Amino acid sequence: QAEDGIRDVERSRGLGDVYKRQTYKTGIVNGTLTYLIGNSTYKYGLTQNKSYYVRFDIDALGLKGEIEEARLYIYHSWYYGTNQQPNLKVQINKSTRWIDLVLDAYYRDQKGFGSYNYPYGTMCYNITDELWLNSTHIINITNLDSSKISLWGAGLLIVLKNDSYPKIQYWIDEGCDLLCEKYGAPDNEPMYYPFATCTFSKPLLKSPINSAMLITVVPGGDGGANKLIFNNQEWNGVYNLTGPISSGTVGIAIDSKNVVEFISNTNNNLAKIVDCGGNGIVPSNAFLVIQY
């Protein structure tokens, strides 16, 4: 894990460079992992000083325990500016106050061909100290840039510690991989290969595995023209957001798979998300949760 996520990711990539992703964290706790997108919908062309809100009704989930990790993700599509990253002010409400959040890591992908040559990105914020389990939280995203930006929405990851729950090992994979094979990607160019690979290090515990869940988050799920591969198993048509994605429609596809039959407890586990000629997808997060 990089000591400074923002500079490490930007230094290793550069605008339009080959995609980059990483395992942000893996850990072992007695507890649970929850991911949700609240009432996120796609917003095209948020202009300067305009705000976009996402509501998370966390209190309705009945979560119990101590927060081990809470991480907020802002997923954007077209960013029309020339800066290295969008200039967004992101806030979370805490009671009646707005708390400014500090960007922890930023992942970006830009393919550099055709008329769709705009960067996409995943902006990450550590909100472990800001989240209340017995509250409804609202995320306020304001565009401070003179250039407009389009937003897929926001995602919230919560890892809880609770001694009354089984032991789990969890992996948090994050990044941004713009896959758009349909729109003329050059042949034999690794930069444009239409797949994203998420690598999960081998499990630390050798105990018998009772269950294993793979959660993948893909903005722009393109009507099912895609597939998911995990180790030696393959599923087709996984991310299926039907109809055109436009302002006000849900633009983030989430898939959960029980992969206990295919898990390896002696080697790395690999998930691969493949674009099969649809309108383009943006694999952004993958979470693996093994329960013992």
Side-chain angles (χ1 to χ4, degrees):
Q1 180 182 339
E3 293 182 359
D4 186 325
I6 301 172
R7 284 197 290 271
D8 181 73
V9 172
E10 290 304 304
R11 184 170 54 243
S12 63
R13 298 195 57 201
L15 192 62
D17 202 356
V18 65
Y19 67 76
K20 164 75 177 179
R21 58 186 320 115
Q22 67 172 346
T23 298
Y24 162 72
K25 186 176 183 179
T26 184
I28 298 175
V29 296
N30 288 77
T32 60
L33 180 147
T34 301
Y35 176 83
L36 57 158
I37 61 170
N39 65 341
S40 292
T41 58
Y42 184 67
K43 173 63 177 178
Y44 173 77
L46 188 70
T47 55
Q48 188 175 30
N49 296 324
K50 297 296 183 181
S51 293
Y52 170 93
Y53 299 91
V54 179
R55 177 188 178 102
F56 293 99
D57 293 316
I58 301 170
D59 49 348
L61 301 177
L63 299 175
K64 303 293 183 183
E66 178 185 350
I67 297 176
E68 164 88 355
E69 184 83 28
R71 198 149 174 87
L72 175 71
Y73 299 100
I74 307 297
Y75 308 109
H76 75 78
S77 59
W78 292 16
Y79 168 53
Y80 291 84
T82 58
N83 297 325
Q84 285 293 95
Q85 62 192 43
N87 186 11
L88 301 180
K89 180 169 73 172
V90 180
Q91 299 174 302
I92 186 172
N93 72 310
K94 201 154 188 183
S95 186
T96 58
R97 297 182 300 128
W98 287 107
I99 306 296
D100 291 341
L101 300 179
V102 178
L103 185 66
D104 183 55
Y106 176 51
Y107 306 86
R108 177 184 58 220
D109 202 7
Q110 182 175 348
K111 288 309 182 202
F113 63 86
S115 59
Y116 303 98
N117 185 21
Y118 296 99
Y120 288 56
T122 300
M123 310 183 80
C124 313
Y125 302 82
N126 188 331
I127 59 170
T128 303
D129 296 331
E130 310 299 343
L131 204 69
W132 290 341
L133 297 180
N134 61 348
S135 179
T136 289
H137 284 290
I138 297 173
I139 304 302
N140 179 8
I141 306 165
T142 303
N143 181 19
L144 301 181
D145 202 308
S146 59
S147 300
K148 61 184 179 180
I149 187 172
S150 298
L151 300 172
W152 298 109
L156 177 60
L157 175 73
I158 305 172
V159 179
L160 289 183
K161 293 188 291 187
N162 188 324
D163 288 340
S164 66
Y165 284 87
K167 187 180 297 294
I168 63 170
Q169 183 174 1
Y170 64 89
W171 290 257
I172 301 172
D173 175 276
E174 54 192 36
C176 177
D177 302 308
L178 174 57
L179 310 180
C180 48
E181 189 219 12
K182 180 179 178 180
Y183 293 102
D187 293 333
N188 302 317
E189 286 282 351
M191 172 177 169
Y192 300 112
Y193 286 172
F195 63 81
T197 301
C198 311
T199 303
F200 305 100
S201 59
K202 66 180 181 181
L204 295 176
L205 300 180
K206 301 301 183 184
S207 306
I209 294 172
N210 292 324
S211 69
M213 293 298 299
L214 174 67
I215 303 167
T216 48
V217 181
V218 178
D222 54 356
N226 50 67
K227 63 183 175 182
L228 170 65
I229 302 169
F230 183 77
N231 291 340
N232 61 345
Q233 179 64 24
E234 182 175 316
W235 299 269
N236 291 298
V238 176
Y239 311 103
N240 191 7
L241 296 175
T242 58
I245 296 175
S246 57
S247 288
T249 62
V250 176
I252 302 173
I254 306 170
D255 181 75
S256 298
K257 288 276 188 293
N258 184 345
V259 295
V260 67
E261 296 180 53
F262 319 111
I263 203 81
S264 171
N265 61 4
T266 58
N267 298 298
N268 290 346
N269 290 276
L270 301 178
K272 181 182 286 188
I273 299 169
V274 185
D275 175 44
C276 300
N279 291 322
I281 54 177
V282 194
S284 299
N285 286 107
F287 312 112
L288 181 62
V289 185
I290 291 178
Q291 184 185 108
Y292 296 94

